[in-house]
Amino acid sequence: MLLTLTNTQPPATDLGFLLYKHPQRVQHYPLSFGTAHVFYPEADAARCTACLLVDVDPIDLVRGKATATGGGLLDQYVNDRPYAASSFLSVAIGRVFATALSGRCADHPELVNRPLPLVAHLPVVATRADEGFVPALFEPLGYRVEWQRLPLDEQFPDWGHSPYVALTLSATVTVKTLLSHLYVLLPVLDNAKHYWVGQDELEKLLRHGADWLAGHPEKARIARRYLRHQWSLAREALARLDVVEEDAPDATPPEATTGESVTASDLASITVEEAAVEAPLSLNETRIRTVIAELEAAKVQTVVDLGCGDGKLLSRLLKEQRLTRLVGLDVSVRALEIAADRLRLDRLPQRQRERIQLLHGGLTYRDARIEGFEAATAIEVIEHLDENRLAAFERVLFQCARPKWVIVTTPNVEYNVNYPFLPAGQLRHPDHRFEWTRAAFETWGQRAAATFGYGVRFAPVGTVDPAVGPPTQMAVFARDDGRGDDA
Ligand code: SAH
């Protein structure tokens, strides 16, 4: 299988620096399923083409762990894997162009973020999808897409079409971005993976799609196909696309200086224009800071984070030495595992370790483990509960756990008109059971407060649109007895 990348921006041989492969040399890379070769059929100042040729050895495939197509014995030896661009090519890109894919260029760092007029050509791409899927994947990313369905057999045209296309993508784009698009979308087109898909793949999808996937109109199909139709992983991917921020547990908040860098986080919840023009922080970061400020003002020392997800708020709260006890509760074991990782629970010194605990549990059943805290937070959680379970959640929270302070945030559905990628009427992500207007949220909050003996105030989170309000809305409840001043 073959991929060529052509740069026509003089000096075109900059492509060599960016790919970290010398244009004058042929280089070979052993892979578990064959060998990758990189060479340049042309390399001058005006035009430079790098070629990645992946030689898949079908015998290696059968001997190794990789199941090529999941078919019968003959199918294991005779199949399209050596010839058609697929997840094998993605793996090869990940290995051979790892430096470029991660946006590093030691010799010329200034080149990394420079968009170049690039053309990627793939003579054979496995495409198990309807005709429209090829442009639907690449056009929203800004490519001019040329593709041609290949015949099953050139000598017998009446045999019809094959599941392969010849594909050419052209755009002015950075090398890193182009590679990340191919890395994710080739297996999506193929709809088959040669290796087991698990949590690792989900993380890879989010990492390589960080700058563009959240805003892609086909993100649901991309996630499902990339993750081999493992619905729980795909659902998690889509949910996290909306909230995922930094990869590393201690990463500093992203400073968004351009639209492109802010898309690393929360494209589904923040428009590029907003990011570029006025928002130095992503919505998610704004939300976290707002909640931390409320907890600080309330001078609480103990907090339970309900529906803590992958622990982003907790990891920030852990740094606040004033807080002596932190608990995160979530129904998703996977989310808790990621949280444990983010918080480095297994490496925390004893004293820190005693301050924090993660609990597996549901929010609509009474749970003594969440009682006795000064504050509870439920950040972007209620919209994940079925509306008919909300009353149970209210009792669990306000009647049983009964903290002095409760902070709840949820999307403001009115703001959705500002998301160019969201079709009218569609919620921000698939797991949302509802999204409320400001009036609906306030009605809910007032009623809950009155029922359970709390006072409540409402505040916007994120840039307020004069017509439709803020992207996120927050309610801060204070237990009536002594306006939250004593336990
Ligand atoms: N608070 C986090 C995560 C929000 S996503 C953040 O702001 O990043 C919503 C979270 O609620 C998910 O992690 C989901 O697993 C959790 N959740 C949904 N229903 C739940 C339930 N019934 N009980 C406990 N957690 C639930």
Side-chain angles (χ1 to χ4, degrees):
M1 67 186 82
L2 195 65
L3 160 70
T4 63
L5 283 180
T6 302
N7 175 29
T8 48
Q9 170 82 50
T13 44
D14 277 353
L15 187 62
F17 292 119
L18 283 161
L19 293 175
Y20 208 62
K21 302 284 169 267
H22 200 291
Q24 304 303 333
R25 263 189 262 141
V26 178
Q27 298 178 62
H28 312 281
Y29 302 86
L31 303 167
S32 63
F33 47 84
T35 310
H37 314 272
V38 180
F39 53 93
Y40 291 73
E42 54 184 350
D44 55 43
R47 200 178 154 87
C48 179
T49 296
C51 192
L52 170 65
L53 173 73
V54 181
D55 207 2
V56 173
D57 182 343
I59 307 296
D60 268 3
L61 277 187
V62 179
R63 291 214 188 104
K65 304 154 290 296
T67 309
T69 59
L73 189 60
L74 180 63
D75 191 48
Q76 288 184 15
Y77 286 94
V78 184
N79 57 59
D80 66 358
R81 301 295 88 177
Y83 315 107
S86 65
S87 57
F88 288 103
L89 186 58
S90 283
V91 172
I93 289 173
R95 299 266 162 79
V96 175
F97 297 138
T99 318
L101 195 58
S102 66
R104 283 173 289 138
C105 181
D107 297 333
H108 291 274
E110 78 284 358
L111 292 177
V112 169
N113 292 318
R114 187 176 300 167
L116 300 170
L118 297 177
V119 177
H121 179 62
L122 298 123
V124 187
V125 183
T127 308
R128 290 171 178 83
D130 57 79
E131 279 295 290
F133 197 44
V134 179
L137 282 185
F138 291 100
E139 278 174 358
L141 298 169
Y143 292 96
R144 191 158 71 84
V145 185
E146 294 159 81
W147 86 101
Q148 193 189 359
R149 184 65 75 174
L150 299 170
L152 203 53
D153 189 315
E154 275 179 3
Q155 296 188 5
F156 303 98
D158 49 331
W159 284 13
H161 290 311
S162 70
Y164 308 105
V165 298
L167 177 63
T168 306
L169 302 168
S170 322
T172 299
V173 60
T174 65
V175 167
K176 168 186 190 291
T177 303
L178 172 60
L179 290 176
S180 77
H181 292 156
L182 293 175
Y183 182 90
V184 170
L185 296 178
L186 290 176
V188 167
L189 275 173
D190 183 25
N191 206 21
K193 276 219 174 135
H194 65 277
Y195 47 81
W196 169 247
V197 167
Q199 187 71 25
D200 278 7
E201 286 305 295
L202 188 156
E203 302 303 328
K204 266 188 229 164
L205 174 66
L206 294 178
R207 192 163 66 246
H208 292 291
D211 288 344
W212 53 272
L213 188 52
H216 198 298
E218 289 285 354
K219 68 179 171 192
R221 252 169 120 188
I222 292 172
R224 281 201 300 274
R225 289 170 71 112
Y226 188 88
L227 297 166
R228 293 292 290 127
H229 302 279
Q230 298 206 31
W231 289 82
S232 66
L233 286 179
R235 249 196 317 272
E236 186 182 336
L238 292 168
R240 285 178 57 200
L241 276 176
D242 190 33
V243 291
V244 153
E245 195 71 79
E246 61 274 70
D247 258 344
D250 283 325
T252 44
E255 294 296 328
T257 46
T258 67
E260 199 175 311
S261 62
V262 86
T263 53
S265 56
D266 218 351
L267 237 192
S269 306
I270 188 167
T271 63
V272 176
E273 297 76 27
E274 182 185 36
V277 176
E278 52 173 321
L281 299 173
S282 75
L283 178 57
N284 190 53
E285 179 61 24
T286 307
R287 210 151 41 209
I288 287 179
R289 291 188 183 194
T290 309
V291 172
I292 290 178
E294 289 291 341
L295 293 171
E296 212 167 79
K299 298 195 171 63
V300 297
Q301 291 188 303
T302 59
V303 180
V304 58
D305 187 22
L306 304 172
C308 62
D310 55 10
K312 278 192 295 290
L313 176 62
L314 287 172
S315 73
R316 300 285 285 276
L317 294 178
L318 191 59
K319 293 181 185 150
E320 310 270 325
Q321 291 306 322
R322 164 178 55 81
L323 299 171
T324 54
R325 187 157 170 248
L326 291 168
V327 163
L329 177 117
D330 205 285
V331 75
S332 159
V333 173
R334 230 192 284 276
L336 290 172
E337 283 168 0
I338 299 167
D341 235 34
R342 177 188 292 278
L343 294 160
R344 302 184 168 147
L345 279 196
D346 55 346
R347 277 165 286 164
L348 281 183
Q350 182 73 7
R351 288 241 330 259
Q352 298 298 327
R353 186 67 192 83
E354 283 165 3
R355 288 170 62 217
I356 187 158
Q357 197 182 6
L358 294 178
L359 300 174
H360 183 219
L363 290 172
T364 54
Y365 299 92
R366 181 172 187 173
D367 189 336
R369 298 173 301 174
I370 63 170
E371 291 169 19
F373 288 83
E374 289 169 292
T377 49
I379 308 309
E380 304 297 281
V381 170
I382 57 172
E383 65 276 11
H384 292 267
L385 304 177
D386 285 328
E387 254 182 302
N388 63 10
R389 300 295 291 151
L390 260 187
F393 171 64
E394 289 163 31
R395 283 197 303 279
V396 166
L397 172 59
F398 294 110
Q399 191 176 314
C400 305
R402 207 160 173 74
K404 263 198 295 194
W405 301 90
V406 174
I407 301 175
V408 175
T409 74
T410 195
N412 162 24
V413 71
E414 296 164 79
Y415 191 88
N416 288 3
V417 294
N418 284 324
Y419 298 134
F421 298 115
L422 207 58
Q426 191 169 310
L427 301 184
R428 290 185 201 178
H429 67 71
D431 194 48
H432 284 182
R433 310 303 154 88
F434 59 85
E435 284 172 1
W436 280 339
T437 59
R438 286 167 290 176
F441 183 51
E442 286 175 23
T443 304
W444 172 80
Q446 301 284 9
R447 193 191 38 72
T451 309
F452 297 102
Y454 281 75
V456 64
R457 66 185 159 79
F458 300 90
V461 180
T463 312
V464 178
D465 176 311
V468 294
T472 298
Q473 42 188 345
M474 175 172 72
V476 181
F477 299 83
R479 207 170 60 205
D480 270 345
D481 41 327
R483 313 222 65 77
D485 289 339
D486 56 33

